[in-house]
PDB file of all heavy atoms in Angstrom:
ATOM      1  N   PRO A  35    -237.287 126.891 124.423  1.00  0.00           N
ATOM      2  CA  PRO A  35    -236.142 127.579 125.034  1.00  0.00           C
ATOM      3  C   PRO A  35    -236.248 127.588 126.555  1.00  0.00           C
ATOM      4  O   PRO A  35    -235.231 127.557 127.239  1.00  0.00           O
ATOM      5  CB  PRO A  35    -236.176 128.989 124.436  1.00  0.00           C
ATOM      6  CG  PRO A  35    -237.522 129.156 123.871  1.00  0.00           C
ATOM      7  CD  PRO A  35    -237.999 127.813 123.466  1.00  0.00           C
ATOM      8  N   GLU A  42    -230.387 123.951 132.709  1.00  0.00           N
ATOM      9  CA  GLU A  42    -229.049 124.339 133.106  1.00  0.00           C
ATOM     10  C   GLU A  42    -228.794 124.078 134.583  1.00  0.00           C
ATOM     11  O   GLU A  42    -227.665 124.088 135.046  1.00  0.00           O
ATOM     12  CB  GLU A  42    -228.844 125.817 132.799  1.00  0.00           C
ATOM     13  CG  GLU A  42    -228.807 126.112 131.309  1.00  0.00           C
ATOM     14  CD  GLU A  42    -228.610 127.596 130.967  1.00  0.00           C
ATOM     15  OE1 GLU A  42    -228.537 128.362 131.931  1.00  0.00           O
ATOM     16  OE2 GLU A  42    -228.493 127.906 129.794  1.00  0.00           O
ATOM     17  N   ARG A  53    -241.318 121.049 137.540  1.00  0.00           N
ATOM     18  CA  ARG A  53    -242.346 121.736 136.734  1.00  0.00           C
ATOM     19  C   ARG A  53    -243.750 121.212 137.099  1.00  0.00           C
ATOM     20  O   ARG A  53    -244.631 122.027 137.417  1.00  0.00           O
ATOM     21  CB  ARG A  53    -242.057 121.523 135.264  1.00  0.00           C
ATOM     22  CG  ARG A  53    -243.147 122.054 134.363  1.00  0.00           C
ATOM     23  CD  ARG A  53    -242.890 121.695 132.903  1.00  0.00           C
ATOM     24  NE  ARG A  53    -243.955 122.161 132.041  1.00  0.00           N
ATOM     25  CZ  ARG A  53    -243.993 121.925 130.719  1.00  0.00           C
ATOM     26  NH1 ARG A  53    -243.014 121.263 130.129  1.00  0.00           N
ATOM     27  NH2 ARG A  53    -245.030 122.371 129.981  1.00  0.00           N
ATOM     28  N   VAL A  60    -250.942 124.131 141.886  1.00  0.00           N
ATOM     29  CA  VAL A  60    -251.872 125.136 141.360  1.00  0.00           C
ATOM     30  C   VAL A  60    -253.230 124.457 141.080  1.00  0.00           C
ATOM     31  O   VAL A  60    -254.315 125.019 141.356  1.00  0.00           O
ATOM     32  CB  VAL A  60    -251.308 125.799 140.111  1.00  0.00           C
ATOM     33  CG1 VAL A  60    -252.334 126.735 139.494  1.00  0.00           C
ATOM     34  CG2 VAL A  60    -250.021 126.547 140.424  1.00  0.00           C
ATOM     35  N   THR A  77    -262.559 101.276 133.778  1.00  0.00           N
ATOM     36  CA  THR A  77    -262.174 101.777 132.443  1.00  0.00           C
ATOM     37  C   THR A  77    -261.698 103.222 132.523  1.00  0.00           C
ATOM     38  O   THR A  77    -260.667 103.589 131.945  1.00  0.00           O
ATOM     39  CB  THR A  77    -263.363 101.699 131.461  1.00  0.00           C
ATOM     40  OG1 THR A  77    -263.747 100.294 131.358  1.00  0.00           O
ATOM     41  CG2 THR A  77    -262.955 102.190 130.073  1.00  0.00           C
ATOM     42  N   VAL A  79    -260.463 104.741 135.164  1.00  0.00           N
ATOM     43  CA  VAL A  79    -259.193 104.729 135.867  1.00  0.00           C
ATOM     44  C   VAL A  79    -258.040 104.362 134.935  1.00  0.00           C
ATOM     45  O   VAL A  79    -256.970 105.021 134.907  1.00  0.00           O
ATOM     46  CB  VAL A  79    -259.217 103.795 137.079  1.00  0.00           C
ATOM     47  CG1 VAL A  79    -257.831 103.637 137.684  1.00  0.00           C
ATOM     48  CG2 VAL A  79    -260.190 104.310 138.115  1.00  0.00           C
ATOM     49  N   VAL A  90    -247.885 113.036 130.186  1.00  0.00           N
ATOM     50  CA  VAL A  90    -247.069 113.827 131.136  1.00  0.00           C
ATOM     51  C   VAL A  90    -245.756 113.120 131.386  1.00  0.00           C
ATOM     52  O   VAL A  90    -244.662 113.626 131.049  1.00  0.00           O
ATOM     53  CB  VAL A  90    -247.813 114.111 132.435  1.00  0.00           C
ATOM     54  CG1 VAL A  90    -246.896 114.823 133.429  1.00  0.00           C
ATOM     55  CG2 VAL A  90    -249.059 114.942 132.170  1.00  0.00           C
ATOM     56  N   LEU A 123    -252.616 107.317 114.454  1.00  0.00           N
ATOM     57  CA  LEU A 123    -253.274 106.675 115.583  1.00  0.00           C
ATOM     58  C   LEU A 123    -254.806 106.830 115.474  1.00  0.00           C
ATOM     59  O   LEU A 123    -255.549 105.950 115.880  1.00  0.00           O
ATOM     60  CB  LEU A 123    -252.764 107.270 116.873  1.00  0.00           C
ATOM     61  CG  LEU A 123    -251.330 106.934 117.236  1.00  0.00           C
ATOM     62  CD1 LEU A 123    -250.857 107.706 118.487  1.00  0.00           C
ATOM     63  CD2 LEU A 123    -251.162 105.424 117.479  1.00  0.00           C
ATOM     64  N   ALA A 124    -255.248 107.977 114.947  1.00  0.00           N
ATOM     65  CA  ALA A 124    -256.712 108.163 114.763  1.00  0.00           C
ATOM     66  C   ALA A 124    -257.240 107.184 113.761  1.00  0.00           C
ATOM     67  O   ALA A 124    -258.361 106.686 113.888  1.00  0.00           O
ATOM     68  CB  ALA A 124    -256.984 109.608 114.300  1.00  0.00           C
ATOM     69  N   ARG A 131    -260.169 108.085 108.590  1.00  0.00           N
ATOM     70  CA  ARG A 131    -259.377 107.723 107.443  1.00  0.00           C
ATOM     71  C   ARG A 131    -258.842 108.926 106.722  1.00  0.00           C
ATOM     72  O   ARG A 131    -259.555 109.937 106.614  1.00  0.00           O
ATOM     73  CB  ARG A 131    -260.141 106.808 106.507  1.00  0.00           C
ATOM     74  CG  ARG A 131    -260.448 105.457 107.142  1.00  0.00           C
ATOM     75  CD  ARG A 131    -261.055 104.489 106.121  1.00  0.00           C
ATOM     76  NE  ARG A 131    -262.405 104.899 105.753  1.00  0.00           N
ATOM     77  CZ  ARG A 131    -263.072 104.356 104.744  1.00  0.00           C
ATOM     78  NH1 ARG A 131    -262.533 103.440 104.002  1.00  0.00           N
ATOM     79  NH2 ARG A 131    -264.300 104.771 104.463  1.00  0.00           N
ATOM     80  N   ARG A 134    -255.284 110.709  99.978  1.00  0.00           N
ATOM     81  CA  ARG A 134    -253.930 110.705  99.412  1.00  0.00           C
ATOM     82  C   ARG A 134    -253.104 111.870  99.989  1.00  0.00           C
ATOM     83  O   ARG A 134    -251.911 111.743 100.236  1.00  0.00           O
ATOM     84  CB  ARG A 134    -253.959 110.796  97.885  1.00  0.00           C
ATOM     85  CG  ARG A 134    -254.556 109.537  97.250  1.00  0.00           C
ATOM     86  CD  ARG A 134    -254.610 109.680  95.731  1.00  0.00           C
ATOM     87  NE  ARG A 134    -255.177 108.506  95.108  1.00  0.00           N
ATOM     88  CZ  ARG A 134    -255.399 108.402  93.781  1.00  0.00           C
ATOM     89  NH1 ARG A 134    -255.087 109.423  93.006  1.00  0.00           N
ATOM     90  NH2 ARG A 134    -255.899 107.304  93.302  1.00  0.00           N
ATOM     91  N   VAL A 145    -239.576 112.719 105.920  1.00  0.00           N
ATOM     92  CA  VAL A 145    -238.369 113.237 105.247  1.00  0.00           C
ATOM     93  C   VAL A 145    -237.801 114.445 106.017  1.00  0.00           C
ATOM     94  O   VAL A 145    -236.593 114.517 106.281  1.00  0.00           O
ATOM     95  CB  VAL A 145    -238.667 113.616 103.801  1.00  0.00           C
ATOM     96  CG1 VAL A 145    -237.473 114.323 103.158  1.00  0.00           C
ATOM     97  CG2 VAL A 145    -239.003 112.380 102.957  1.00  0.00           C
ATOM     98  N   ALA A 170    -241.308 111.999 122.037  1.00  0.00           N
ATOM     99  CA  ALA A 170    -242.218 112.843 122.794  1.00  0.00           C
ATOM    100  C   ALA A 170    -243.474 113.185 121.986  1.00  0.00           C
ATOM    101  O   ALA A 170    -244.592 113.188 122.502  1.00  0.00           O
ATOM    102  CB  ALA A 170    -241.520 114.116 123.282  1.00  0.00           C
ATOM    103  N   ALA A 175    -249.228 112.272 120.763  1.00  0.00           N
ATOM    104  CA  ALA A 175    -250.302 111.826 119.870  1.00  0.00           C
ATOM    105  C   ALA A 175    -251.155 110.754 120.545  1.00  0.00           C
ATOM    106  O   ALA A 175    -252.404 110.740 120.366  1.00  0.00           O
ATOM    107  CB  ALA A 175    -249.665 111.292 118.584  1.00  0.00           C
ATOM    108  N   LEU A 185    -263.129 112.315 126.584  1.00  0.00           N
ATOM    109  CA  LEU A 185    -264.114 113.341 126.298  1.00  0.00           C
ATOM    110  C   LEU A 185    -265.445 112.684 125.878  1.00  0.00           C
ATOM    111  O   LEU A 185    -266.519 113.140 126.252  1.00  0.00           O
ATOM    112  CB  LEU A 185    -263.617 114.298 125.231  1.00  0.00           C
ATOM    113  CG  LEU A 185    -262.520 115.301 125.647  1.00  0.00           C
ATOM    114  CD1 LEU A 185    -261.996 116.020 124.431  1.00  0.00           C
ATOM    115  CD2 LEU A 185    -263.055 116.285 126.699  1.00  0.00           C
ATOM    116  N   THR A 195    -257.079 117.606 132.464  1.00  0.00           N
ATOM    117  CA  THR A 195    -255.835 118.289 132.766  1.00  0.00           C
ATOM    118  C   THR A 195    -255.322 117.969 134.192  1.00  0.00           C
ATOM    119  O   THR A 195    -254.178 117.624 134.396  1.00  0.00           O
ATOM    120  CB  THR A 195    -255.965 119.799 132.588  1.00  0.00           C
ATOM    121  OG1 THR A 195    -256.365 120.100 131.239  1.00  0.00           O
ATOM    122  CG2 THR A 195    -254.699 120.531 132.898  1.00  0.00           C
ATOM    123  N   PRO A 225    -232.355 132.372 136.812  1.00  0.00           N
ATOM    124  CA  PRO A 225    -232.994 132.174 135.491  1.00  0.00           C
ATOM    125  C   PRO A 225    -233.632 130.785 135.354  1.00  0.00           C
ATOM    126  O   PRO A 225    -234.726 130.679 134.795  1.00  0.00           O
ATOM    127  CB  PRO A 225    -231.774 132.306 134.519  1.00  0.00           C
ATOM    128  CG  PRO A 225    -230.805 133.199 135.301  1.00  0.00           C
ATOM    129  CD  PRO A 225    -230.978 132.795 136.715  1.00  0.00           C
ATOM    130  N   ALA A 229    -237.599 129.942 134.946  1.00  0.00           N
ATOM    131  CA  ALA A 229    -238.012 129.172 133.797  1.00  0.00           C
ATOM    132  C   ALA A 229    -238.963 128.051 134.226  1.00  0.00           C
ATOM    133  O   ALA A 229    -239.976 127.764 133.558  1.00  0.00           O
ATOM    134  CB  ALA A 229    -236.804 128.581 133.070  1.00  0.00           C
ATOM    135  N   ALA A 241    -252.140 129.365 128.931  1.00  0.00           N
ATOM    136  CA  ALA A 241    -252.301 129.241 127.471  1.00  0.00           C
ATOM    137  C   ALA A 241    -253.431 128.270 127.120  1.00  0.00           C
ATOM    138  O   ALA A 241    -254.165 128.454 126.158  1.00  0.00           O
ATOM    139  CB  ALA A 241    -250.988 128.781 126.842  1.00  0.00           C
ATOM    140  N   SER A 246    -258.744 127.412 124.706  1.00  0.00           N
ATOM    141  CA  SER A 246    -260.108 126.886 124.821  1.00  0.00           C
ATOM    142  C   SER A 246    -261.131 128.003 124.616  1.00  0.00           C
ATOM    143  O   SER A 246    -262.139 127.873 123.966  1.00  0.00           O
ATOM    144  CB  SER A 246    -260.332 126.211 126.169  1.00  0.00           C
ATOM    145  OG  SER A 246    -259.424 125.134 126.335  1.00  0.00           O
ATOM    146  N   SER A 251    -264.929 130.823 119.255  1.00  0.00           N
ATOM    147  CA  SER A 251    -265.254 131.803 118.210  1.00  0.00           C
ATOM    148  C   SER A 251    -264.543 131.523 116.912  1.00  0.00           C
ATOM    149  O   SER A 251    -264.921 132.092 115.877  1.00  0.00           O
ATOM    150  CB  SER A 251    -264.847 133.224 118.692  1.00  0.00           C
ATOM    151  OG  SER A 251    -265.438 133.539 119.912  1.00  0.00           O
ATOM    152  N   LEU A 261    -250.457 127.301 114.911  1.00  0.00           N
ATOM    153  CA  LEU A 261    -249.517 126.617 115.751  1.00  0.00           C
ATOM    154  C   LEU A 261    -248.247 126.197 114.990  1.00  0.00           C
ATOM    155  O   LEU A 261    -247.268 125.834 115.597  1.00  0.00           O
ATOM    156  CB  LEU A 261    -250.175 125.426 116.429  1.00  0.00           C
ATOM    157  CG  LEU A 261    -251.327 125.812 117.366  1.00  0.00           C
ATOM    158  CD1 LEU A 261    -252.023 124.569 117.902  1.00  0.00           C
ATOM    159  CD2 LEU A 261    -250.815 126.626 118.519  1.00  0.00           C
ATOM    160  N   TYR A 282    -228.600 125.662 108.112  1.00  0.00           N
ATOM    161  CA  TYR A 282    -229.477 125.575 106.937  1.00  0.00           C
ATOM    162  C   TYR A 282    -230.157 124.222 106.820  1.00  0.00           C
ATOM    163  O   TYR A 282    -231.303 124.111 106.383  1.00  0.00           O
ATOM    164  CB  TYR A 282    -228.623 125.867 105.639  1.00  0.00           C
ATOM    165  CG  TYR A 282    -228.152 127.286 105.540  1.00  0.00           C
ATOM    166  CD1 TYR A 282    -226.779 127.576 105.620  1.00  0.00           C
ATOM    167  CD2 TYR A 282    -229.055 128.306 105.356  1.00  0.00           C
ATOM    168  CE1 TYR A 282    -226.349 128.880 105.498  1.00  0.00           C
ATOM    169  CE2 TYR A 282    -228.625 129.624 105.272  1.00  0.00           C
ATOM    170  CZ  TYR A 282    -227.270 129.903 105.352  1.00  0.00           C
ATOM    171  OH  TYR A 282    -226.843 131.204 105.228  1.00  0.00           O
ATOM    172  N   LEU A 297    -250.063 119.474 105.485  1.00  0.00           N
ATOM    173  CA  LEU A 297    -250.788 118.702 104.506  1.00  0.00           C
ATOM    174  C   LEU A 297    -251.600 117.589 105.169  1.00  0.00           C
ATOM    175  O   LEU A 297    -252.772 117.349 104.816  1.00  0.00           O
ATOM    176  CB  LEU A 297    -249.783 118.088 103.467  1.00  0.00           C
ATOM    177  CG  LEU A 297    -250.400 117.430 102.228  1.00  0.00           C
ATOM    178  CD1 LEU A 297    -251.228 118.465 101.464  1.00  0.00           C
ATOM    179  CD2 LEU A 297    -249.291 116.889 101.361  1.00  0.00           C
TER     180      LEU A 297
END
Side-chain angles (χ1 to χ4, degrees):
E42 292 180 357
R53 173 186 178 182
V60 175
T77 300
V79 171
V90 176
L123 292 174
R131 292 189 291 171
R134 293 179 180 176
V145 171
L185 288 171
T195 300
S246 300
S251 305
L261 297 174
Y282 291 114
L297 190 59

